[in-house]
Structures are given as C-alpha cells and as structure tokens.
Short mmCIF file of all heavy atoms in Angstrom, two decimals:
data_model
loop_
_atom_site.label_atom_id
_atom_site.label_comp_id
_atom_site.label_asym_id
_atom_site.label_seq_id
_atom_site.Cartn_x
_atom_site.Cartn_y
_atom_site.Cartn_z
N CYS A 1 2.30 -0.87 -1.06
CA CYS A 1 1.85 0.07 -0.08
C CYS A 1 0.82 0.94 -0.77
O CYS A 1 1.02 1.42 -1.86
CB CYS A 1 2.99 0.92 0.45
SG CYS A 1 2.59 2.02 1.79
N LEU A 2 -0.34 1.16 -0.13
CA LEU A 2 -1.42 1.96 -0.77
C LEU A 2 -1.41 3.39 -0.45
O LEU A 2 -2.23 4.14 -0.92
CB LEU A 2 -2.77 1.34 -0.35
CG LEU A 2 -3.05 -0.07 -0.84
CD1 LEU A 2 -4.37 -0.60 -0.27
CD2 LEU A 2 -3.10 -0.09 -2.34
N SER A 3 -0.46 3.89 0.33
CA SER A 3 -0.31 5.32 0.58
C SER A 3 1.11 5.58 1.05
O SER A 3 1.72 4.74 1.75
CB SER A 3 -1.26 5.75 1.68
OG SER A 3 -0.99 7.06 2.10
N ASN A 4 1.65 6.69 0.62
CA ASN A 4 3.04 6.97 1.04
C ASN A 4 3.15 7.79 2.32
O ASN A 4 4.18 7.99 2.87
CB ASN A 4 3.87 7.63 -0.05
CG ASN A 4 3.56 9.09 -0.30
OD1 ASN A 4 2.66 9.65 0.34
ND2 ASN A 4 4.21 9.71 -1.20
N GLY A 5 1.96 8.23 2.81
CA GLY A 5 1.95 8.97 4.09
C GLY A 5 2.92 10.14 4.13
O GLY A 5 3.68 10.31 5.10
N SER A 6 2.89 10.97 3.08
CA SER A 6 3.86 12.04 2.94
C SER A 6 5.29 11.52 3.03
O SER A 6 6.13 12.07 3.68
CB SER A 6 3.63 13.08 3.98
OG SER A 6 2.30 13.65 3.87
N ASN A 7 5.50 10.36 2.38
CA ASN A 7 6.76 9.70 2.31
C ASN A 7 7.14 8.96 3.61
O ASN A 7 8.08 8.11 3.60
CB ASN A 7 7.92 10.59 1.91
CG ASN A 7 7.77 11.11 0.53
OD1 ASN A 7 7.32 10.37 -0.40
ND2 ASN A 7 8.00 12.35 0.28
N GLU A 8 6.43 9.16 4.69
CA GLU A 8 6.71 8.45 5.96
C GLU A 8 6.44 6.96 5.78
O GLU A 8 7.24 6.11 6.17
CB GLU A 8 5.89 9.01 7.06
CG GLU A 8 6.15 8.37 8.41
CD GLU A 8 5.28 9.00 9.53
OE1 GLU A 8 4.76 10.10 9.32
OE2 GLU A 8 5.24 8.38 10.59
N ARG A 9 5.26 6.59 5.21
CA ARG A 9 4.91 5.17 5.03
C ARG A 9 5.86 4.54 4.09
O ARG A 9 6.29 3.36 4.24
CB ARG A 9 3.49 4.96 4.53
CG ARG A 9 2.41 5.57 5.38
CD ARG A 9 2.10 4.81 6.60
NE ARG A 9 1.27 5.62 7.41
CZ ARG A 9 1.69 6.44 8.36
NH1 ARG A 9 2.97 6.55 8.61
NH2 ARG A 9 0.90 7.22 9.04
N ALA A 10 6.25 5.24 3.02
CA ALA A 10 7.17 4.68 2.00
C ALA A 10 8.54 4.37 2.70
O ALA A 10 9.10 3.32 2.40
CB ALA A 10 7.35 5.69 0.87
N GLU A 11 8.98 5.24 3.50
CA GLU A 11 10.29 4.96 4.19
C GLU A 11 10.16 3.78 5.15
O GLU A 11 11.05 2.93 5.24
CB GLU A 11 10.76 6.24 4.92
CG GLU A 11 12.11 6.08 5.52
CD GLU A 11 13.22 5.63 4.54
OE1 GLU A 11 13.17 6.04 3.38
OE2 GLU A 11 14.10 4.82 4.93
N GLU A 12 9.07 3.71 5.86
CA GLU A 12 8.78 2.54 6.77
C GLU A 12 8.83 1.22 5.96
O GLU A 12 9.43 0.28 6.34
CB GLU A 12 7.47 2.66 7.49
CG GLU A 12 7.42 3.74 8.54
CD GLU A 12 6.00 3.99 9.06
OE1 GLU A 12 5.05 3.39 8.49
OE2 GLU A 12 5.86 4.72 10.00
N LEU A 13 8.16 1.28 4.83
CA LEU A 13 8.08 0.08 3.95
C LEU A 13 9.46 -0.29 3.42
O LEU A 13 9.82 -1.43 3.39
CB LEU A 13 7.11 0.34 2.82
CG LEU A 13 6.90 -0.87 1.90
CD1 LEU A 13 6.36 -2.05 2.64
CD2 LEU A 13 5.95 -0.46 0.73
N ARG A 14 10.23 0.69 3.01
CA ARG A 14 11.56 0.42 2.48
C ARG A 14 12.45 -0.25 3.55
O ARG A 14 13.16 -1.19 3.23
CB ARG A 14 12.23 1.70 1.98
CG ARG A 14 11.68 2.17 0.64
CD ARG A 14 12.44 3.38 0.10
NE ARG A 14 11.81 3.88 -1.07
CZ ARG A 14 10.89 4.88 -1.04
NH1 ARG A 14 10.61 5.48 0.10
NH2 ARG A 14 10.32 5.30 -2.15
N ARG A 15 12.39 0.29 4.79
CA ARG A 15 13.18 -0.29 5.89
C ARG A 15 12.71 -1.72 6.17
O ARG A 15 13.53 -2.64 6.35
CB ARG A 15 13.06 0.54 7.14
CG ARG A 15 13.87 1.82 7.08
CD ARG A 15 13.99 2.53 8.41
NE ARG A 15 12.79 2.65 9.13
CZ ARG A 15 12.01 3.73 9.14
NH1 ARG A 15 12.34 4.78 8.44
NH2 ARG A 15 10.92 3.75 9.85
N SER A 16 11.41 -1.96 6.17
CA SER A 16 10.88 -3.34 6.43
C SER A 16 11.26 -4.25 5.29
O SER A 16 11.69 -5.39 5.56
CB SER A 16 9.36 -3.25 6.52
OG SER A 16 8.96 -2.54 7.68
N ALA A 17 11.16 -3.80 4.05
CA ALA A 17 11.53 -4.64 2.93
C ALA A 17 12.97 -5.03 3.00
O ALA A 17 13.36 -6.21 2.72
CB ALA A 17 11.26 -3.89 1.62
N ALA A 18 13.84 -4.15 3.35
CA ALA A 18 15.28 -4.43 3.48
C ALA A 18 15.53 -5.44 4.61
O ALA A 18 16.32 -6.38 4.40
CB ALA A 18 16.09 -3.13 3.76
N LYS A 19 14.84 -5.28 5.73
CA LYS A 19 14.99 -6.20 6.83
C LYS A 19 14.63 -7.62 6.46
O LYS A 19 15.24 -8.58 6.91
CB LYS A 19 14.21 -5.68 8.03
CG LYS A 19 14.40 -6.53 9.25
CD LYS A 19 13.74 -5.90 10.48
CE LYS A 19 14.09 -6.69 11.69
NZ LYS A 19 13.90 -5.95 12.91
N PHE A 20 13.54 -7.75 5.68
CA PHE A 20 13.03 -9.06 5.29
C PHE A 20 13.64 -9.52 3.93
O PHE A 20 13.21 -10.58 3.37
CB PHE A 20 11.52 -9.09 5.25
CG PHE A 20 10.87 -9.00 6.62
CD1 PHE A 20 10.35 -7.81 7.05
CD2 PHE A 20 10.91 -10.08 7.46
CE1 PHE A 20 9.78 -7.71 8.32
CE2 PHE A 20 10.34 -10.02 8.71
CZ PHE A 20 9.78 -8.80 9.14
N HIS A 21 14.56 -8.77 3.40
CA HIS A 21 15.26 -9.13 2.19
C HIS A 21 14.33 -9.24 0.98
O HIS A 21 14.54 -10.04 0.09
CB HIS A 21 16.07 -10.42 2.35
CG HIS A 21 17.01 -10.40 3.49
ND1 HIS A 21 18.15 -9.62 3.47
CD2 HIS A 21 16.93 -11.01 4.69
CE1 HIS A 21 18.76 -9.80 4.67
NE2 HIS A 21 18.03 -10.58 5.44
N PHE A 22 13.30 -8.40 0.92
CA PHE A 22 12.41 -8.35 -0.25
C PHE A 22 13.22 -7.65 -1.33
O PHE A 22 13.87 -6.59 -1.14
CB PHE A 22 11.16 -7.53 0.04
CG PHE A 22 10.21 -8.18 1.02
CD1 PHE A 22 9.19 -7.42 1.62
CD2 PHE A 22 10.26 -9.50 1.30
CE1 PHE A 22 8.35 -7.99 2.55
CE2 PHE A 22 9.42 -10.12 2.23
CZ PHE A 22 8.44 -9.33 2.84
N GLU A 23 13.12 -8.15 -2.52
CA GLU A 23 13.91 -7.61 -3.63
C GLU A 23 13.21 -6.45 -4.31
O GLU A 23 13.83 -5.66 -4.97
CB GLU A 23 14.17 -8.72 -4.69
CG GLU A 23 15.08 -9.79 -4.11
CD GLU A 23 15.30 -10.94 -5.05
OE1 GLU A 23 15.02 -10.75 -6.28
OE2 GLU A 23 15.78 -11.97 -4.66
N ASP A 24 11.88 -6.41 -4.18
CA ASP A 24 11.17 -5.37 -4.89
C ASP A 24 9.94 -4.95 -4.07
O ASP A 24 9.36 -5.79 -3.42
CB ASP A 24 10.71 -5.88 -6.26
CG ASP A 24 10.29 -4.77 -7.24
OD1 ASP A 24 10.57 -3.62 -6.95
OD2 ASP A 24 9.76 -5.13 -8.30
N LEU A 25 9.54 -3.72 -4.15
CA LEU A 25 8.31 -3.25 -3.53
C LEU A 25 7.69 -2.19 -4.39
O LEU A 25 8.30 -1.54 -5.18
CB LEU A 25 8.61 -2.71 -2.09
CG LEU A 25 9.45 -1.47 -1.96
CD1 LEU A 25 8.55 -0.28 -1.76
CD2 LEU A 25 10.44 -1.57 -0.86
N LYS A 26 6.36 -2.07 -4.22
CA LYS A 26 5.55 -1.12 -5.00
C LYS A 26 4.79 -0.27 -4.05
O LYS A 26 4.22 -0.73 -3.07
CB LYS A 26 4.64 -1.82 -5.94
CG LYS A 26 5.33 -2.80 -6.88
CD LYS A 26 6.25 -2.08 -7.86
CE LYS A 26 6.84 -3.10 -8.81
NZ LYS A 26 8.06 -2.61 -9.38
N ILE A 27 4.68 1.06 -4.36
CA ILE A 27 3.92 2.00 -3.58
C ILE A 27 2.92 2.68 -4.48
O ILE A 27 3.26 3.22 -5.48
CB ILE A 27 4.81 3.05 -2.90
CG1 ILE A 27 5.81 2.36 -1.97
CG2 ILE A 27 3.98 4.12 -2.19
CD1 ILE A 27 6.89 3.29 -1.42
N ILE A 28 1.67 2.56 -4.11
CA ILE A 28 0.56 3.22 -4.82
C ILE A 28 0.19 4.50 -4.01
O ILE A 28 -0.14 4.35 -2.83
CB ILE A 28 -0.67 2.29 -4.95
CG1 ILE A 28 -0.29 1.07 -5.69
CG2 ILE A 28 -1.84 3.03 -5.54
CD1 ILE A 28 -1.27 -0.07 -5.66
N ASP A 29 0.33 5.63 -4.63
CA ASP A 29 0.05 6.87 -3.93
C ASP A 29 -1.15 7.56 -4.55
O ASP A 29 -0.99 8.43 -5.37
CB ASP A 29 1.30 7.77 -3.95
CG ASP A 29 1.11 8.95 -3.04
OD1 ASP A 29 0.35 8.89 -2.09
OD2 ASP A 29 1.80 9.96 -3.32
N ASP A 30 -2.34 7.15 -4.18
CA ASP A 30 -3.58 7.71 -4.70
C ASP A 30 -4.06 8.72 -3.65
O ASP A 30 -4.80 8.32 -2.70
CB ASP A 30 -4.59 6.58 -4.92
CG ASP A 30 -5.91 7.08 -5.48
OD1 ASP A 30 -6.20 8.27 -5.40
OD2 ASP A 30 -6.66 6.23 -6.03
N GLN A 31 -3.79 9.96 -3.80
CA GLN A 31 -4.17 11.01 -2.88
C GLN A 31 -5.64 11.37 -2.95
O GLN A 31 -6.12 12.08 -2.08
CB GLN A 31 -3.33 12.28 -3.12
CG GLN A 31 -1.87 12.12 -2.70
CD GLN A 31 -1.74 11.89 -1.19
OE1 GLN A 31 -2.27 12.64 -0.43
NE2 GLN A 31 -1.00 10.85 -0.82
N ILE A 32 -6.31 10.87 -3.93
CA ILE A 32 -7.75 11.17 -4.04
C ILE A 32 -8.60 10.11 -3.31
O ILE A 32 -9.40 10.50 -2.42
CB ILE A 32 -8.21 11.26 -5.50
CG1 ILE A 32 -7.49 12.45 -6.18
CG2 ILE A 32 -9.73 11.42 -5.64
CD1 ILE A 32 -7.67 12.55 -7.70
N TYR A 33 -8.39 8.87 -3.64
CA TYR A 33 -9.22 7.81 -3.03
C TYR A 33 -8.58 7.07 -1.88
O TYR A 33 -9.30 6.42 -1.11
CB TYR A 33 -9.61 6.77 -4.14
CG TYR A 33 -10.44 7.39 -5.21
CD1 TYR A 33 -9.91 7.64 -6.47
CD2 TYR A 33 -11.77 7.71 -4.98
CE1 TYR A 33 -10.69 8.23 -7.45
CE2 TYR A 33 -12.55 8.29 -5.98
CZ TYR A 33 -12.02 8.55 -7.22
OH TYR A 33 -12.77 9.11 -8.19
N LEU A 34 -7.26 7.19 -1.73
CA LEU A 34 -6.59 6.49 -0.64
C LEU A 34 -5.68 7.46 0.10
O LEU A 34 -4.51 7.21 0.32
CB LEU A 34 -5.74 5.31 -1.19
CG LEU A 34 -6.51 4.27 -2.01
CD1 LEU A 34 -5.57 3.21 -2.57
CD2 LEU A 34 -7.62 3.60 -1.18
N LYS A 35 -6.22 8.56 0.50
CA LYS A 35 -5.50 9.58 1.26
C LYS A 35 -5.05 9.05 2.59
O LYS A 35 -5.77 8.39 3.28
CB LYS A 35 -6.37 10.79 1.45
CG LYS A 35 -5.61 11.97 2.07
CD LYS A 35 -6.44 13.24 2.11
CE LYS A 35 -5.67 14.32 2.75
NZ LYS A 35 -6.34 15.60 2.68
N ASP A 36 -3.77 9.32 2.95
CA ASP A 36 -3.18 8.85 4.24
C ASP A 36 -3.70 9.76 5.35
O ASP A 36 -3.17 10.80 5.60
CB ASP A 36 -1.68 8.86 4.15
CG ASP A 36 -1.05 8.17 5.37
OD1 ASP A 36 -1.25 6.98 5.46
OD2 ASP A 36 -0.42 8.86 6.15
N ASP A 37 -4.80 9.30 5.96
CA ASP A 37 -5.46 10.09 7.02
C ASP A 37 -6.31 9.10 7.84
O ASP A 37 -7.21 8.50 7.23
CB ASP A 37 -6.29 11.19 6.40
CG ASP A 37 -6.97 12.10 7.45
OD1 ASP A 37 -7.06 11.69 8.62
OD2 ASP A 37 -7.34 13.22 7.06
N GLN A 38 -6.09 9.01 9.13
CA GLN A 38 -6.87 8.07 9.95
C GLN A 38 -8.33 8.40 10.00
O GLN A 38 -9.18 7.56 10.32
CB GLN A 38 -6.30 8.01 11.37
CG GLN A 38 -4.94 7.40 11.45
CD GLN A 38 -4.40 7.30 12.88
OE1 GLN A 38 -5.02 7.82 13.79
NE2 GLN A 38 -3.24 6.66 13.03
N ARG A 39 -8.67 9.61 9.65
CA ARG A 39 -10.10 10.01 9.59
C ARG A 39 -10.74 9.74 8.28
O ARG A 39 -11.95 9.89 8.11
CB ARG A 39 -10.22 11.51 9.96
CG ARG A 39 -9.77 11.81 11.39
CD ARG A 39 -9.57 13.25 11.57
NE ARG A 39 -8.41 13.66 10.75
CZ ARG A 39 -8.00 14.87 10.53
NH1 ARG A 39 -8.67 15.87 11.02
NH2 ARG A 39 -6.94 15.12 9.83
N GLN A 40 -9.94 9.36 7.27
CA GLN A 40 -10.41 9.09 5.93
C GLN A 40 -10.84 7.60 5.78
O GLN A 40 -10.07 6.72 6.18
CB GLN A 40 -9.28 9.42 4.94
CG GLN A 40 -9.66 9.19 3.50
CD GLN A 40 -10.56 10.27 2.93
OE1 GLN A 40 -10.51 11.38 3.37
NE2 GLN A 40 -11.38 9.88 1.95
N PHE A 41 -12.01 7.38 5.25
CA PHE A 41 -12.50 6.01 4.97
C PHE A 41 -12.09 5.66 3.52
O PHE A 41 -12.36 6.42 2.59
CB PHE A 41 -14.04 5.94 5.12
CG PHE A 41 -14.53 4.62 4.75
CD1 PHE A 41 -14.43 3.53 5.65
CD2 PHE A 41 -15.14 4.37 3.52
CE1 PHE A 41 -14.97 2.30 5.27
CE2 PHE A 41 -15.67 3.19 3.14
CZ PHE A 41 -15.56 2.12 4.06
N TRP A 42 -11.40 4.54 3.35
CA TRP A 42 -11.08 4.06 2.03
C TRP A 42 -12.13 3.05 1.56
O TRP A 42 -12.43 2.10 2.26
CB TRP A 42 -9.71 3.33 2.05
CG TRP A 42 -8.52 4.20 2.31
CD1 TRP A 42 -8.46 5.52 2.51
CD2 TRP A 42 -7.16 3.74 2.33
NE1 TRP A 42 -7.22 5.94 2.68
CE2 TRP A 42 -6.36 4.91 2.55
CE3 TRP A 42 -6.55 2.51 2.18
CZ2 TRP A 42 -4.98 4.82 2.63
CZ3 TRP A 42 -5.18 2.47 2.27
CH2 TRP A 42 -4.39 3.58 2.45
N SER A 43 -12.66 3.27 0.37
CA SER A 43 -13.65 2.31 -0.12
C SER A 43 -12.99 1.04 -0.48
O SER A 43 -11.87 0.97 -1.01
CB SER A 43 -14.37 2.90 -1.32
OG SER A 43 -13.66 2.76 -2.48
N SER A 44 -13.70 -0.08 -0.23
CA SER A 44 -13.16 -1.39 -0.57
C SER A 44 -13.01 -1.53 -2.06
O SER A 44 -12.13 -2.20 -2.54
CB SER A 44 -14.03 -2.48 0.05
OG SER A 44 -15.39 -2.37 -0.41
N GLU A 45 -13.86 -0.85 -2.83
CA GLU A 45 -13.76 -0.89 -4.30
C GLU A 45 -12.47 -0.25 -4.79
O GLU A 45 -11.81 -0.74 -5.69
CB GLU A 45 -14.97 -0.19 -4.95
CG GLU A 45 -16.30 -0.93 -4.78
CD GLU A 45 -17.02 -0.62 -3.50
OE1 GLU A 45 -16.58 0.36 -2.79
OE2 GLU A 45 -17.93 -1.33 -3.15
N ALA A 46 -12.07 0.88 -4.19
CA ALA A 46 -10.83 1.53 -4.56
C ALA A 46 -9.64 0.65 -4.23
O ALA A 46 -8.72 0.54 -5.03
CB ALA A 46 -10.73 2.91 -3.89
N ILE A 47 -9.66 0.09 -3.06
CA ILE A 47 -8.55 -0.76 -2.60
C ILE A 47 -8.44 -1.99 -3.53
O ILE A 47 -7.40 -2.31 -4.05
CB ILE A 47 -8.75 -1.25 -1.17
CG1 ILE A 47 -8.70 -0.05 -0.19
CG2 ILE A 47 -7.77 -2.35 -0.76
CD1 ILE A 47 -9.14 -0.36 1.20
N PHE A 48 -9.59 -2.63 -3.79
CA PHE A 48 -9.61 -3.83 -4.63
C PHE A 48 -9.13 -3.51 -6.03
O PHE A 48 -8.33 -4.26 -6.61
CB PHE A 48 -11.01 -4.44 -4.66
CG PHE A 48 -11.09 -5.68 -5.55
CD1 PHE A 48 -10.53 -6.89 -5.14
CD2 PHE A 48 -11.71 -5.60 -6.81
CE1 PHE A 48 -10.60 -8.00 -5.93
CE2 PHE A 48 -11.73 -6.73 -7.63
CZ PHE A 48 -11.18 -7.93 -7.15
N GLY A 49 -9.56 -2.39 -6.56
CA GLY A 49 -9.20 -1.98 -7.93
C GLY A 49 -7.70 -1.78 -8.03
O GLY A 49 -7.06 -2.30 -8.97
N HIS A 50 -7.10 -1.12 -7.06
CA HIS A 50 -5.64 -0.91 -7.04
C HIS A 50 -4.89 -2.24 -6.91
O HIS A 50 -3.90 -2.49 -7.59
CB HIS A 50 -5.22 0.04 -5.93
CG HIS A 50 -5.37 1.50 -6.31
ND1 HIS A 50 -4.67 2.09 -7.29
CD2 HIS A 50 -6.14 2.47 -5.76
CE1 HIS A 50 -5.00 3.37 -7.38
NE2 HIS A 50 -5.91 3.61 -6.43
N LEU A 51 -5.36 -3.05 -6.01
CA LEU A 51 -4.69 -4.35 -5.77
C LEU A 51 -4.78 -5.22 -7.06
O LEU A 51 -3.79 -5.82 -7.45
CB LEU A 51 -5.29 -5.12 -4.62
CG LEU A 51 -4.96 -4.55 -3.22
CD1 LEU A 51 -5.75 -5.31 -2.12
CD2 LEU A 51 -3.46 -4.66 -2.97
N GLN A 52 -5.95 -5.27 -7.61
CA GLN A 52 -6.14 -6.08 -8.82
C GLN A 52 -5.26 -5.64 -9.94
O GLN A 52 -4.61 -6.44 -10.60
CB GLN A 52 -7.62 -6.06 -9.24
CG GLN A 52 -7.98 -7.00 -10.31
CD GLN A 52 -9.47 -6.98 -10.59
OE1 GLN A 52 -10.10 -5.86 -10.61
NE2 GLN A 52 -10.06 -8.09 -10.82
N ARG A 53 -5.24 -4.35 -10.24
CA ARG A 53 -4.38 -3.82 -11.33
C ARG A 53 -2.89 -4.08 -10.99
O ARG A 53 -2.12 -4.41 -11.89
CB ARG A 53 -4.64 -2.32 -11.49
CG ARG A 53 -5.88 -2.05 -12.29
CD ARG A 53 -6.01 -0.55 -12.61
NE ARG A 53 -6.07 0.34 -11.48
CZ ARG A 53 -7.16 0.55 -10.79
NH1 ARG A 53 -8.29 -0.07 -11.09
NH2 ARG A 53 -7.13 1.39 -9.77
N SER A 54 -2.49 -3.84 -9.75
CA SER A 54 -1.09 -3.96 -9.38
C SER A 54 -0.61 -5.42 -9.48
O SER A 54 0.50 -5.71 -9.96
CB SER A 54 -0.84 -3.45 -7.98
OG SER A 54 -1.16 -2.06 -7.89
N ILE A 55 -1.44 -6.36 -9.02
CA ILE A 55 -1.15 -7.78 -9.08
C ILE A 55 -0.91 -8.18 -10.50
O ILE A 55 0.05 -8.86 -10.83
CB ILE A 55 -2.18 -8.62 -8.38
CG1 ILE A 55 -2.07 -8.38 -6.85
CG2 ILE A 55 -2.06 -10.10 -8.73
CD1 ILE A 55 -3.25 -8.88 -6.04
N ARG A 56 -1.78 -7.76 -11.37
CA ARG A 56 -1.65 -8.07 -12.83
C ARG A 56 -0.45 -7.41 -13.44
O ARG A 56 0.36 -8.04 -14.15
CB ARG A 56 -2.91 -7.68 -13.56
CG ARG A 56 -4.06 -8.58 -13.31
CD ARG A 56 -5.28 -8.17 -14.12
NE ARG A 56 -6.40 -9.00 -13.80
CZ ARG A 56 -7.67 -8.58 -13.86
NH1 ARG A 56 -7.91 -7.37 -14.30
NH2 ARG A 56 -8.63 -9.39 -13.57
N GLN A 57 -0.34 -6.11 -13.20
CA GLN A 57 0.76 -5.34 -13.86
C GLN A 57 2.12 -5.84 -13.44
O GLN A 57 3.01 -5.97 -14.32
CB GLN A 57 0.60 -3.86 -13.48
CG GLN A 57 1.66 -2.97 -14.06
CD GLN A 57 1.52 -1.54 -13.71
OE1 GLN A 57 0.49 -1.13 -13.09
NE2 GLN A 57 2.45 -0.69 -14.06
N TRP A 58 2.34 -6.09 -12.15
CA TRP A 58 3.67 -6.44 -11.69
C TRP A 58 3.85 -7.93 -11.36
O TRP A 58 4.83 -8.33 -10.78
CB TRP A 58 4.03 -5.58 -10.51
CG TRP A 58 4.14 -4.12 -10.84
CD1 TRP A 58 4.89 -3.58 -11.85
CD2 TRP A 58 3.57 -3.02 -10.18
NE1 TRP A 58 4.78 -2.20 -11.85
CE2 TRP A 58 3.96 -1.81 -10.84
CE3 TRP A 58 2.68 -2.92 -9.11
CZ2 TRP A 58 3.51 -0.59 -10.46
CZ3 TRP A 58 2.26 -1.63 -8.74
CH2 TRP A 58 2.68 -0.51 -9.41
N GLN A 59 2.79 -8.71 -11.66
CA GLN A 59 2.84 -10.14 -11.45
C GLN A 59 3.18 -10.48 -9.97
O GLN A 59 4.07 -11.26 -9.66
CB GLN A 59 3.79 -10.84 -12.41
CG GLN A 59 3.39 -10.66 -13.84
CD GLN A 59 4.39 -11.22 -14.82
OE1 GLN A 59 5.42 -11.81 -14.44
NE2 GLN A 59 4.10 -11.05 -16.11
N ILE A 60 2.50 -9.82 -9.06
CA ILE A 60 2.69 -9.95 -7.63
C ILE A 60 2.17 -11.30 -7.18
O ILE A 60 1.05 -11.70 -7.49
CB ILE A 60 2.01 -8.79 -6.88
CG1 ILE A 60 2.73 -7.48 -7.29
CG2 ILE A 60 2.08 -9.00 -5.38
CD1 ILE A 60 2.01 -6.24 -6.76
N SER A 61 2.95 -12.03 -6.34
CA SER A 61 2.52 -13.28 -5.86
C SER A 61 2.20 -13.25 -4.38
O SER A 61 1.56 -14.15 -3.85
CB SER A 61 3.61 -14.36 -6.07
OG SER A 61 4.80 -13.99 -5.40
N THR A 62 2.59 -12.20 -3.68
CA THR A 62 2.34 -12.12 -2.23
C THR A 62 1.88 -10.71 -1.84
O THR A 62 2.49 -9.73 -2.29
CB THR A 62 3.64 -12.44 -1.46
OG1 THR A 62 4.09 -13.72 -1.83
CG2 THR A 62 3.38 -12.44 0.05
N VAL A 63 0.84 -10.61 -1.02
CA VAL A 63 0.31 -9.32 -0.49
C VAL A 63 0.42 -9.39 1.03
O VAL A 63 -0.08 -10.37 1.59
CB VAL A 63 -1.11 -9.02 -0.97
CG1 VAL A 63 -1.60 -7.75 -0.32
CG2 VAL A 63 -1.17 -8.94 -2.48
N ILE A 64 1.03 -8.40 1.64
CA ILE A 64 1.19 -8.39 3.10
C ILE A 64 0.40 -7.24 3.66
O ILE A 64 0.44 -6.09 3.23
CB ILE A 64 2.68 -8.19 3.49
CG1 ILE A 64 3.49 -9.39 2.91
CG2 ILE A 64 2.83 -8.08 4.99
CD1 ILE A 64 4.95 -9.22 3.05
N SER A 65 -0.42 -7.56 4.71
CA SER A 65 -1.21 -6.56 5.43
C SER A 65 -0.61 -6.34 6.80
O SER A 65 0.00 -7.22 7.40
CB SER A 65 -2.65 -7.11 5.54
OG SER A 65 -3.41 -6.21 6.32
N PHE A 66 -0.80 -5.16 7.34
CA PHE A 66 -0.27 -4.81 8.62
C PHE A 66 -0.99 -5.48 9.80
O PHE A 66 -0.41 -5.70 10.81
CB PHE A 66 -0.30 -3.28 8.87
CG PHE A 66 0.70 -2.55 8.01
CD1 PHE A 66 0.37 -2.04 6.76
CD2 PHE A 66 1.98 -2.36 8.46
CE1 PHE A 66 1.27 -1.35 5.98
CE2 PHE A 66 2.92 -1.69 7.70
CZ PHE A 66 2.55 -1.19 6.47
N ASP A 67 -2.30 -5.75 9.65
CA ASP A 67 -3.00 -6.39 10.68
C ASP A 67 -4.16 -7.22 10.15
O ASP A 67 -4.34 -7.21 8.91
CB ASP A 67 -3.48 -5.41 11.76
CG ASP A 67 -4.51 -4.44 11.26
OD1 ASP A 67 -5.20 -4.69 10.32
OD2 ASP A 67 -4.67 -3.36 11.94
N SER A 68 -4.98 -7.82 10.96
CA SER A 68 -6.04 -8.71 10.53
C SER A 68 -7.12 -8.00 9.72
O SER A 68 -7.84 -8.63 8.93
CB SER A 68 -6.64 -9.45 11.67
OG SER A 68 -7.27 -8.51 12.55
N LYS A 69 -7.25 -6.71 9.83
CA LYS A 69 -8.24 -5.94 9.16
C LYS A 69 -7.64 -5.18 7.96
O LYS A 69 -8.36 -4.42 7.30
CB LYS A 69 -8.94 -4.92 10.08
CG LYS A 69 -9.70 -5.68 11.17
CD LYS A 69 -10.42 -4.68 12.08
CE LYS A 69 -11.11 -5.48 13.17
NZ LYS A 69 -11.80 -4.61 14.07
N GLY A 70 -6.36 -5.38 7.69
CA GLY A 70 -5.74 -4.70 6.52
C GLY A 70 -5.42 -3.28 6.80
O GLY A 70 -5.32 -2.47 5.89
N VAL A 71 -5.27 -2.87 8.03
CA VAL A 71 -5.06 -1.50 8.41
C VAL A 71 -3.77 -1.44 9.26
O VAL A 71 -3.47 -2.29 10.09
CB VAL A 71 -6.22 -0.97 9.27
CG1 VAL A 71 -5.98 0.47 9.63
CG2 VAL A 71 -7.55 -1.13 8.54
N SER A 72 -2.97 -0.40 9.04
CA SER A 72 -1.79 -0.24 9.89
C SER A 72 -2.15 0.49 11.17
O SER A 72 -3.18 1.05 11.29
CB SER A 72 -0.72 0.52 9.17
OG SER A 72 -1.15 1.85 8.89
#
C-alpha cells in the first residue's frame, strides 16, 4: 500500500489481506511524495521508485492495484 490514509487505508488493506489469506503485507507511508489526498498528484517516478525498492527489498512476487489505472 502506498499510503496509509491516516491509518484508514492501512486498516482496509489489513482486512482485505485477511479475507484473501495473504500472509504478509507492506505499507509505504510517504507523506511527502505520496500524500493520501484525492487532490494530490503522485508522480509516476515516486511510485515507480517505491515499488522498485520494495519489490527488491521484500522479494515481492505480486503487486495488486485497486483499478485499471492503479488508483483506489
């Protein structure tokens, strides 16, 4: 998860992960470049950088997006 949404998104993600029996989940909370705000534009470079580092660091094999554009 790229934002915790003042913990709201984190809790949504935890419930979803439990429902789908995911064993592990990671939350990136970058309040500078990935602020949880519908009026905030996230740069593709910031998103890609976080995804790339996270995939390497935690050896992630699957990335799930909320919709076809990668936006919830």
